[in-house]
C-alpha cells in the first residue's frame, strides 16, 4: 500500500496544472501568415545579388523608369513658364517682382497638396494617386494658353492647380519605390526617378524656346500637356501597385523582392498595423529626425526653385545672353544632375552593402549634397563669363544630386508606415521655402540690385542646413507610436 503507482508518482513530481498556469503567464506570441517570410532569411543569404543585366531588365526597373518619365513631365510642365515668363513679361510690362509672383503661383497650389497627397498615398497606394496627379497637371498645362488669354486671374488659378496636382508626385514615387525595391537598391531607384526629374528640367528649358519659335509662346504647353495624357494610359495598363500583383514579374524577382524587403519592412508594420486615416502629426513633429528632414527639404527646395525660376533671367540679365542661350546655360546643369543621381545612388547602395551604417551613409550623402553646392554658388556669384558661370552651376547641381541619396531616401527609413504623409510635411516646408525664395529673389534684386548677393545668401543657408542634418538625422527606424509627454 505504501508503494505508489508510477502514474500517481509522476503526477506528484510533475504538476500539469502548475505548468499550464505558468505557460499562460508567459507573453503570447502573435503569429501571422507573413511570419513564414522570416524563414526566408536563409534563402536571402543564399540568393545572390542580381547582376547589372538582371537588374536593368527587371520588372521593378520598368516601374521606376515609368516613375522617372512621370517626374520628367512634372518638371517640364513647371519649367515652361520659366522660359515663357520672359516674353510674357515684355508683352505685359511686368516688373521683376511681379514676374516672381506669377511664377510663384505654381507654388500656391503645391503648398496645399503634399500632406493631403501623402495621406492619399499611404491609404490608396502610389499607382492610383500618381495617375490622377499626372492627369490633372497635364490638363492644367494644356489649359494654360486659354487661361493666359482669358485673364491674369485665370492664369494664376491654372498654375495653382498645376502645383496642387504635382504635389503628389514625389510622395507617390517614394511609396512605389518602397513597395518595389529592397533597402539595398532604394538609393539607385530614387536616383533613376530623380534623374527623370532633372532631365525634365533640361528638356523643358531646351525644347521650350524651340517649340515657342515654331508654335508660338504657348506651343510647349500644348505638347507637354498631351504627353501627360499618353503617359497615364501606359502607366495604368503596364504597371502594378505591388510586385505580387504584377502578371509580368518573374518568380525569381518576386522572391528576391519579398525576401530582401523583410529586412526593412517588419511584419508588424507591413500587415498587422494599418496606417491611420489621420496620422499622428504631433508625434511626427516631436522628433528631431523629422526636423532634420524638414530643414533638408526646405533648403533643397529653396535652391532648386531659385535655379528653376531665375537662372534663365539670371544669365539673360547678368551675362546679356539671349533667351535661347540663357535657357541652354541653365539647362546643362540639370542634365549633369540626372547622370549624377544614379551614380550617387549606386555609391550609396554599395556603401550600405559593404557594411557602412545607414545613418553614416545618409549623412555623408547629404553633406556632399549641401556643402558642395554651397561652395559652387560662391564661385557662380564671382564668375565673370556665362561659360564659367554655367560650369559652376553644373558642378553645383552635380553635387546637389547626392542629397537625393540623403534625406529623400531617409524618409522611407525612419517611418515606412508614414512615409507618404512625412514626405507631405517636409514638402510643405520645402514649398514655403521655395515661395519665400522665388518671390524674395525678385524683391531682393530690386532692393539691392545684385543677383550674386542672393546667391551668397543661399550658399550660407546650405552650410547651416548641412550642419543641422548631420547633428539630428538617423538612418534607423524611429518609433512614432509612443505618446508625446
Amino acid at each position: 500500500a505504501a508503494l505508489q503507482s508510477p502514474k500517481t508518482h509522476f503526477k506528484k513530481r510533475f504538476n500539469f496544472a502548475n505548468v499550464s498556469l505558468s505557460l499562460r503567464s508567459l507573453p503570447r506570441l502573435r503569429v501571422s501568415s507573413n511570419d513564414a517570410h522570416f524563414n526566408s532569411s536563409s534563402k536571402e543569404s543564399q540568393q545572390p545579388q542580381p547582376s547589372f543585366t538582371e537588374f536593368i531588365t527587371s520588372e521593378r526597373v520598368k516601374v521606376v523608369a515609368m516613375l522617372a518619365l512621370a517626374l520628367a513631365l512634372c518638371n517640364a510642365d513647371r519649367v515652361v513658364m520659366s522660359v515663357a515668363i520672359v516674353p510674357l513679361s515684355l508683352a505685359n510690362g511686368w516688373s521683376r517682382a511681379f514676374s516672381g509672383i506669377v511664377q510663384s503661383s505654381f507654388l500656391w497650389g503645391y503648398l496645399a497638396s503634399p500632406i493631403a497627397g501623402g495621406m492619399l498615398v499611404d491609404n490608396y497606394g502610389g499607382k492610383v494617386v500618381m495617375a490622377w496627379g499626372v492627369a490633372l497637371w497635364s490638363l492644367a498645362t494644356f489649359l494654360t494658353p486659354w487661361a493666359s488669354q482669358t485673364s491674369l486671374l485665370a492664369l494664376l488659378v491654372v498654375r495653382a492647380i498645376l502645383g496642387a496636382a504635382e504635389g503628389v508626385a514625389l510622395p507617390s514615387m517614394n511609396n512605389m519605390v518602397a513597395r518595389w525595391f529592397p533597402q539595398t537598391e532604394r538609393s539607385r531607384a530614387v536616383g533613376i526617378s530623380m534623374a527623370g526629374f532633372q532631365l525634365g528640367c533640361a528638356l523643358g528649358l531646351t525644347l521650350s524656346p524651340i517649340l515657342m519659335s515654331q508654335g508660338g509662346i504657348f506651343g510647349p504647353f500644348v505638347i507637354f500637356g498631351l504627353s501627360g495624357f499618353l503617359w497615364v494610359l501606359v502607366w495604368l495598363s503596364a504597371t502594378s501597385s505591388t510586385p505580387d500583383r504584377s502578371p509580368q514579374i518573374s518568380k525569381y524577382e518576386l522572391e528576391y523582392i519579398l525576401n530582401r524587403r523583410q529586412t526593412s519592412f517588419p511584419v508588424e508594420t507591413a500587415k498587422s498595423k494599418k496606417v491611420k486615416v489621420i496620422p499622428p502629426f504631433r508625434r511626427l513633429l516631436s522628433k528631431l529626425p523629422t526636423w532634420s528632414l524638414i530643414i533638408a527639404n526646405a533648403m533643397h527646395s529653396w535652391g532648386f526653385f531659385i535655379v528653376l525660376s531665375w537662372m534663365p533671367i539670371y544669365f539673360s540679365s547678368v551675362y546679356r545672353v539671349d533667351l535661347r542661350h540663357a535657357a541652354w546655360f541653365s539647362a546643362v546643369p540639370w542634365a549633369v544632375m540626372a547622370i549624377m543621381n544614379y551614380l550617387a545612388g549606386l555609391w550609396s547602395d554599395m556603401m550600405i552593402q559593404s557594411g557602412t551604417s545607414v545613418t553614416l551613409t545618409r549623412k555623408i550623402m547629404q553633406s556632399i549634397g549641401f556643402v558642395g553646392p554651397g561652395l559652387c554658388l560662391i564661385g557662380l556669384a564671382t564668375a565673370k563669363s556665362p561659360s564659367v558661370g554655367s560650369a559652376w552651376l553644373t558642378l553645383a547641381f552635380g553635387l546637389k544630386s547626392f542629397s537625393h541619396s540623403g534625406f529623400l531616401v531617409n524618409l522611407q527609413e525612419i517611418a515606412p508606415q508614414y512615409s507618404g504623409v512625412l514626405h507631405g510635411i517636409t514638402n510643405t516646408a520645402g514649398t514655403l521655402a521655395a515661395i519665400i525664395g522665388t518671390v524674395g529673389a525678385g524683391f531682393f534684386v530690386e532692393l539691392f540690385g545684385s543677383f550674386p548677393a542672393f546667391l551668397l545668401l543661399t550658399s550660407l543657408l546650405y552650410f547651416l542646413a548641412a550642419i543641422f542634418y548631420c547633428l539630428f538625422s538617423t538612418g534607423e527606424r524611429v518609433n512614432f507610436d509612443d505618446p508625446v509627454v
Side-chain angles (χ1 to χ4, degrees):
L3 294 176
Q4 297 174 330
S5 67
K7 184 176 180 181
T8 306
H9 180 69
F10 183 76
K11 283 184 178 179
K12 285 187 176 182
R13 295 289 303 274
F14 196 87
N15 193 319
F16 284 101
N18 291 338
V19 172
S20 178
L21 289 172
S22 64
L23 287 174
R24 289 193 190 101
S25 65
L26 290 174
R28 293 193 176 189
L29 298 176
R30 186 163 62 85
V31 181
S32 71
S33 61
N34 286 319
D35 291 338
H37 284 299
F38 284 110
N39 296 328
S40 65
S41 58
S42 59
K43 294 181 182 179
E44 181 180 330
S45 61
Q46 298 173 1
Q47 194 172 19
Q49 283 286 123
S51 65
F52 176 77
T53 302
E54 290 171 331
F55 174 77
I56 208 68
T57 58
S58 64
E59 190 68 18
R60 62 190 184 278
V61 169
K62 184 182 82 174
V63 171
V64 83
M66 287 296 296
L67 290 170
L69 185 55
L71 294 181
L73 290 170
C74 176
N75 248 2
D77 288 349
R78 69 173 69 169
V79 302
V80 172
M81 185 58 73
S82 298
V83 179
I85 194 68
V86 178
L88 284 175
S89 298
L90 293 174
N92 295 282
W94 295 340
S95 65
R96 288 275 175 83
F98 191 78
S99 297
I101 293 174
V102 172
Q103 294 201 79
S104 70
S105 61
F106 163 86
L107 296 168
W108 306 345
Y110 198 77
L111 178 65
S113 64
I115 294 179
M119 293 170 63
L120 290 172
V121 166
D122 286 338
N123 284 280
Y124 298 104
K127 179 182 176 179
V128 174
V129 178
M130 180 69 95
W132 279 104
V134 176
L136 184 56
W137 86 55
S138 298
L139 179 63
T141 301
F142 186 78
L143 292 178
T144 299
W146 166 84
S148 63
Q149 293 173 348
T150 302
S151 67
L152 180 59
L153 177 61
L155 176 61
L156 297 178
V157 169
V158 168
R159 293 294 295 176
I161 293 174
L162 173 71
E166 291 196 358
V168 306
L170 292 182
S172 297
M173 179 273 291
N174 245 322
N175 178 271
M176 292 295 287
V177 167
R179 290 183 175 195
W180 275 88
F181 288 83
Q183 189 178 49
T184 53
E185 292 181 353
R186 282 190 198 144
S187 292
R188 270 173 288 176
V190 171
I192 293 172
S193 299
M194 297 307 294
F197 202 59
Q198 271 71 58
L199 283 175
C201 284
L203 291 174
L205 289 169
T206 53
L207 292 180
S208 291
I210 299 173
L211 294 174
M212 287 167 60
S213 65
Q214 299 296 320
I217 296 177
F218 302 114
F221 295 96
V222 175
I223 298 298
F224 292 138
L226 293 175
S227 299
F229 295 137
L230 178 61
W231 181 93
V232 172
L233 295 177
V234 177
W235 172 255
L236 292 176
S237 60
T239 62
S240 301
S241 58
T242 56
D244 56 316
R245 295 182 181 179
S246 173
Q248 293 90 10
I249 195 170
S250 67
K251 181 180 178 181
Y252 169 82
E253 184 181 1
L254 180 60
E255 290 180 353
Y256 172 79
I257 294 172
L258 294 179
N259 293 343
R260 297 275 174 165
R261 195 171 58 182
Q262 290 302 323
T263 60
S264 55
F265 279 85
V267 167
E268 68 271 17
T269 300
K271 293 289 182 185
S272 58
K273 285 189 180 178
K274 190 172 180 68
V275 176
K276 300 175 182 177
V277 175
I278 301 178
F281 289 106
R282 186 181 176 194
R283 295 174 188 175
L284 290 171
L285 294 173
S286 67
K287 309 290 186 178
L288 282 173
T290 300
W291 284 99
S292 72
L293 295 173
I294 290 174
I295 297 298
N297 202 327
M299 190 60 239
H300 181 79
S301 296
W302 174 290
F304 178 85
F305 281 98
I306 289 299
V307 175
L308 190 68
S309 301
W310 287 104
M311 282 303 101
I313 298 177
Y314 178 81
F315 279 94
S316 177
S317 61
V318 174
Y319 298 118
R320 308 300 180 188
V321 296
D322 61 36
L323 175 60
R324 181 172 298 185
H325 288 118
W328 169 253
F329 277 120
S330 54
V332 171
W334 300 108
V336 173
M337 191 177 185
I339 298 172
M340 292 300 298
N341 263 319
Y342 179 78
L343 297 178
L346 180 62
W347 182 29
S348 175
D349 288 340
M350 290 175 62
M351 289 177 65
I352 295 174
Q353 291 170 10
S354 67
T356 305
S357 70
V358 177
T359 298
L360 180 58
T361 301
R362 300 301 173 227
K363 290 182 178 181
I364 291 174
M365 295 293 112
Q366 194 61 49
S367 296
I368 297 173
F370 274 4
V371 175
L375 293 172
C376 291
L377 287 183
I378 296 175
L380 174 61
T382 58
K384 302 301 182 182
S385 68
S387 57
V388 174
S390 181
W392 277 115
L393 192 62
T394 300
L395 181 59
F397 271 66
L399 296 174
K400 183 181 175 66
S401 63
F402 281 78
S403 65
H404 296 147
S405 296
F407 84 93
L408 195 56
V409 184
N410 201 193
L411 288 161
Q412 304 164 9
E413 294 163 341
I414 72 168
Q417 74 275 39
Y418 298 121
S419 63
V421 69
L422 190 60
H423 202 142
I425 292 173
T426 59
N427 251 16
T428 299
T431 306
L432 283 171
I435 292 174
I436 295 172
T438 303
V439 178
F443 285 101
F444 186 94
V445 173
E446 285 196 351
L447 183 62
F448 296 100
S450 174
F451 259 123
F454 191 80
L455 294 177
L456 294 176
L457 172 63
T458 301
S459 177
L460 175 61
L461 294 177
Y462 265 129
F463 297 147
L464 295 177
I467 293 172
F468 191 92
Y469 184 88
C470 288
L471 288 176
F472 299 114
S473 65
T474 179
E476 303 299 323
R477 191 169 171 191
V478 176
N479 185 5
F480 290 108
D481 295 323
D482 289 339
V484 180
V485 295

